Amino acid sequence: MASTQITKIIGTRTLSVCNRSLATSFFTRNQRFHTSARSQLPDGPIPRKHERLLGDVHSRGIGVLRDPRFNKGMAFTLEERQILGIHGLLPPAVFSMEEQVRRTVENVRKLANPINQYVYMLSLLQRNEKLFFKVVTENVEEMSPILYTPTVGLACQTLGHVYQRPRGMYITINDKNHIFKMLCNYPEHHIKAVVMTDGERILGLGDLGAFGMGIPIGKLNLYTAMGGIPPHQCLPVMLDVGTNNEQLRNQDTYFGIRQERVTGDQYDEFIDEFLAAVVHRYGQTTLLQFEDFANHNAFRLLEKYRNKYLTFNDDIQGTASVCVAGIMAAMRITKKKLPDNTFLFFGAGEAAIGIAELLVTAMTQEGMPEKEARSKIWLIDKAGLLVQVGGGRSEGASPEKIPFLKEHKEMNDLLEITKHLKPSVVVGAAGVGQMFDKAFLNEMAANNERPVIFALSNPTSHSECTAQEAYDHTQGRCVFASGSPFPPVSYNGKTYHTGQGNNAYIFPGVALAAIVASMHHISEEVFFIAAKVIADLAEESDLEMGRIYPPLANIHEVSTNLAAKIVEYAYANNIACTYPEPVDKLAFVRAHQFSLEYESFVPQVYSWPQQK
Ligand SMILES: O=C([O-])CC(=O)C(=O)O
Ligand SMILES: [Mg+2]
């Protein structure tokens, strides 16, 4: 391509001294600039048009209506219907997108059963992608419990019945040595983010094998609805290595491979091959999000790959970030500093250890020596309080628990431990429902003016207590957050809107930043920055109502701002590869986001000057 042409396409403002070799390396370094080169560029940051323009619609006629990426249903104008050869294939009415959104929400409300609502919405996604994301983004408080936690848990449990059309990729242990070729079957060529699970620990529901696929699909829907990441850049993947859930294996609707889980070297080689195949196919800066792996794999895979790929574990790092954000915001209510607290975790898995580690970082940033910070944090696992072997505990601890082992006698009753340690902050993250009973909550209230109580286990049925129980048994004095949403609580004539301490506040924004800046890895610091950003977003008026997180209704804007902060950090710390560095980070992030408006399919007609 001639340099003058390139200059014209890219716009002189951003690449004013554009020569051929610079432009070539510029394009090869970042293919996304190539995409933008096709669109028209106004002044300002380079916009990245991810819309498929008319030229990308390969089919005319009925094919357009059958393609969810292009279909607008009855929102096609008369002109478009004629141009696309679909005139007469639709009822004559032309509806606006706003009317379609309103009608969709009405239809969902009529279906009172959550699983029917889930199926209805997923079939909309398979018909009309833009409308689906518009509905979800504009009604996120109402839609996220349907498409995400808690209903997604139920959907996974019944996925054999709920399954309708292919979405994402299913790769099994039997496909070893063929994974790259399989990835080439995937029809999208610009994948920027992969969310994968092996289904071994789906929410707090345990091993759901291939039915765990509902989770990567759900997470990636939120990538778009909450973070504005274009859907065609997202790939959900089920890594099927079998399931140890015998009951599931024997169900006739089960669609995964019917064998026990493969472990050991074979498992590790499989994961290794998959990750290598993804970056070979889609580029080294493809984001790889681990989701709902069991503890025994989650920690070691994170350690193995965190500096090799652009990767994070949502259950360890995303949950840590949102929970520490909540605790920092709670400190604005309790008027304490982090180091003034004693933290008790019920659970010592991915979420608990992730949060505990990030709390150590937060306390050391407030000037406390690391050893002392760790001494403030107590964890309980299946065998009881995490204490050193010899302190009564007969078994050694896994590596991630070791930094939190205490020299202390063995104890294993939650209430007794609470009476003994008098924690000011308790976090439930063991996936075991109803553990925070009346006696426990009373004890927390007796020891603290404002006890901080987080019931993070998902879905709702696995929550340690309900929001109402937490308020009722602490005389309304608690600061409460939960992993799954709860309706507002009424106590003593006052209404409280409790916060949802769910990693959905974190992963869309982090992923958006990682993608737009082409970060080559995600450091731990990113999750600390994210925690601080989210903690600062809770307004005083939110805190008064008991809400320590910004309203979920604002999540798209929250994720966008969070991404801009992380992009800033990424450039300052040399982990961003998108070149050149944008001046206005927020505008840069916005320019990458998926538009929720329908595109016009009417070509812009222009004419040439008269030839002599
Ligand atoms: O999916 C959610 O709601 C949060 C999460 O990652 C989990 O519970 O595993
Ligand atoms: Mg998860």
Side-chain angles (χ1 to χ4, degrees):
M1 193 184 281
S3 67
T4 46
Q5 250 176 306
I6 294 169
T7 316
K8 220 186 266 168
I9 295 170
I10 298 173
T12 46
R13 193 174 173 282
T14 325
L15 257 191
S16 46
V17 269
C18 187
N19 62 38
R20 192 188 178 105
S21 64
L22 172 60
T24 311
S25 70
F26 178 69
F27 280 154
T28 40
R29 231 187 286 196
N30 193 327
Q31 281 188 356
R32 264 163 290 163
F33 279 92
H34 206 90
T35 317
S36 71
R38 289 193 318 215
S39 38
Q40 290 161 7
L41 302 174
D43 277 354
I46 295 183
R48 315 295 173 81
K49 279 251 179 189
H50 297 287
E51 323 309 328
R52 293 165 175 79
L53 302 173
L54 185 62
D56 293 338
V57 184
H58 297 300
S59 48
R60 276 182 94 248
I62 191 75
V64 178
L65 298 178
R66 287 183 179 148
D67 190 330
R69 299 169 305 168
F70 306 118
N71 184 26
K72 303 185 191 181
M74 279 183 263
F76 279 114
T77 63
L78 181 59
E79 214 178 350
E80 286 176 322
R81 294 177 192 202
Q82 292 174 31
I83 291 166
L84 293 169
I86 53 173
H87 192 35
L89 303 183
L90 291 163
V94 175
F95 293 122
S96 69
M97 198 177 198
E98 286 60 41
E99 285 172 298
Q100 290 181 313
V101 169
R102 189 169 40 74
R103 199 159 311 126
T104 306
V105 174
E106 277 168 16
N107 289 345
V108 171
R109 284 180 191 158
K110 276 189 215 141
L111 301 166
N113 177 335
I115 203 76
N116 291 344
Q117 294 176 322
Y118 176 89
V119 172
Y120 178 87
M121 284 303 289
L122 272 233
S123 44
L124 173 62
L125 175 61
Q126 285 149 8
R127 277 198 316 276
N128 183 336
E129 189 178 86
K130 280 259 161 135
L131 182 57
F132 170 86
F133 285 114
K134 178 108 171 155
V135 169
V136 181
T137 305
E138 290 185 352
N139 300 275
V140 76
E141 281 183 313
E142 188 170 349
M143 292 296 153
S144 95
I146 297 171
L147 293 162
Y148 185 56
T149 314
T151 308
V152 72
L154 201 56
C156 286
Q157 288 173 307
T158 53
L159 206 63
H161 290 286
V162 168
Y163 182 90
Q164 292 183 345
R165 288 186 62 181
R167 190 160 190 86
M169 291 207 74
Y170 293 80
I171 299 174
T172 78
I173 190 81
N174 303 325
D175 300 313
K176 252 174 112 209
N177 302 324
H178 304 279
I179 299 178
F180 177 75
K181 264 180 101 173
M182 285 175 80
L183 285 177
C184 295
N185 291 337
Y186 199 68
E188 295 290 354
H189 302 293
H190 298 289
I191 297 299
K192 301 285 169 210
V194 176
V195 176
M196 64 263 174
T197 187
D198 69 357
E200 189 167 3
R201 199 273 302 143
I202 293 300
L203 308 177
L205 301 170
D207 185 350
L208 294 186
F211 282 1
M213 181 58 150
I215 296 293
I217 291 175
K219 293 272 172 185
L220 284 168
N221 282 337
L222 299 199
Y223 264 48
T224 305
M226 295 185 173
I229 298 169
H232 70 276
Q233 296 182 353
C234 300
L235 171 59
V237 175
M238 173 68 224
L239 295 170
D240 188 353
V241 297
T243 172
N244 293 344
N245 183 339
E246 200 181 334
Q247 208 190 351
L248 194 63
R249 280 203 311 264
N250 295 331
Q251 255 180 38
D252 55 0
T253 57
Y254 186 62
F255 56 48
I257 56 172
R258 289 168 196 263
Q259 63 176 60
E260 286 196 2
R261 284 186 176 272
V262 169
T263 57
D265 288 350
Q266 241 190 311
Y267 176 91
D268 285 3
E269 286 159 19
F270 176 61
I271 302 289
D272 235 29
E273 183 187 335
F274 170 72
L275 300 179
V278 170
V279 298
H280 186 47
R281 169 96 167 90
Y282 297 113
Q284 184 64 34
T285 55
T286 311
L287 175 65
L288 300 154
Q289 175 176 329
F290 283 87
E291 192 67 48
D292 290 7
F293 284 68
N295 290 331
H296 62 106
N297 288 321
F299 288 104
R300 60 183 196 89
L301 293 177
L302 176 60
E303 281 320 305
K304 186 169 175 187
Y305 296 119
R306 66 191 313 161
N307 293 319
K308 183 167 182 191
Y309 295 120
L310 177 62
T311 188
F312 72 100
N313 182 301
D314 187 38
D315 303 294
I316 300 174
Q317 298 167 291
T319 303
S321 188
V322 76
C323 184
V324 170
I327 292 173
M328 291 197 292
M331 294 300 109
R332 289 165 58 195
I333 300 175
T334 63
K335 310 278 185 247
K336 285 185 184 171
K337 291 203 169 316
L338 283 179
D340 301 336
N341 291 278
T342 298
F343 301 92
L344 177 64
F345 288 83
F346 186 71
E350 293 155 67
I353 298 277
I355 300 162
E357 284 293 349
L358 202 57
L359 273 176
V360 172
T361 306
M363 283 192 271
T364 51
Q365 296 247 340
E366 289 193 19
M368 193 178 221
E370 183 183 328
K371 193 161 170 227
E372 221 175 299
R374 288 190 189 278
S375 76
K376 299 270 176 188
I377 299 174
W378 298 77
L379 294 101
I380 302 173
D381 71 1
K382 280 199 189 94
L385 204 57
L386 275 196
V387 293
Q388 283 171 357
V389 180
R393 192 175 252 265
S394 54
E395 270 180 41
S398 49
E400 68 279 359
K401 292 180 186 169
I402 289 171
F404 294 102
L405 296 180
K406 299 281 185 308
E407 272 184 44
H408 195 275
K409 68 171 179 188
E410 193 176 22
M411 292 181 83
N412 52 26
D413 180 76
L414 175 62
L415 184 58
E416 259 176 42
I417 294 171
T418 309
K419 283 184 175 163
H420 177 67
L421 295 176
K422 301 200 179 347
S424 47
V425 178
V426 290
V427 178
V432 187
Q434 296 304 307
M435 285 308 297
F436 294 173
D437 59 11
K438 182 165 185 264
F440 166 81
L441 293 166
N442 285 166
E443 183 62 28
M444 285 299 294
N447 298 333
N448 298 283
E449 171 78 28
R450 303 297 306 262
V452 178
I453 294 164
F454 283 15
L456 294 187
S457 293
N458 291 318
T460 320
S461 56
H462 289 239
S463 190
E464 285 75 10
C465 63
T466 65
Q468 189 69 54
E469 285 163 350
Y471 274 77
D472 285 349
H473 303 316
T474 58
Q475 298 105 42
R477 287 188 279 119
C478 68
V479 182
F480 180 80
S482 53
S484 301
F486 279 108
V489 169
S490 144
Y491 187 84
N492 242 354
K494 205 173 157 189
T495 302
Y496 299 90
H497 295 261
T498 62
Q500 194 183 348
N502 191 291
N503 45 34
Y505 276 103
I506 306 296
F507 67 78
V510 168
L512 178 61
I515 291 170
V516 300
S518 297
M519 285 161 60
H520 53 72
H521 76 281
I522 304 181
S523 60
E524 213 49 43
E525 179 120 28
V526 164
F527 294 97
F528 187 51
I529 294 171
K532 285 193 288 190
V533 170
I534 300 296
D536 286 347
L537 285 176
E539 309 258 351
E540 288 304 321
S541 54
D542 290 334
L543 296 176
E544 235 154 68
M545 281 197 298
R547 186 147 62 185
I548 50 178
Y549 294 103
L552 205 59
N554 302 346
I555 187 75
H556 193 280
E557 198 52 20
V558 166
S559 305
T560 308
N561 283 286
L562 172 59
K565 289 269 173 11
I566 297 171
V567 166
E568 212 167 295
Y569 164 85
Y571 280 101
N573 290 276
N574 296 322
I575 52 173
C577 299
T578 301
Y579 175 85
E581 178 178 347
V583 179
D584 183 339
K585 310 290 189 284
L586 188 59
F588 172 73
V589 169
R590 287 196 202 283
H592 283 79
Q593 286 176 307
F594 184 61
S595 156
L596 294 170
E597 304 308 320
Y598 287 135
E599 268 177 88
S600 170
F601 289 92
V602 179
Q604 282 182 347
V605 180
Y606 62 98
S607 52
W608 285 358
Q610 276 226 310
Q611 303 289 305
K612 287 201 180 126

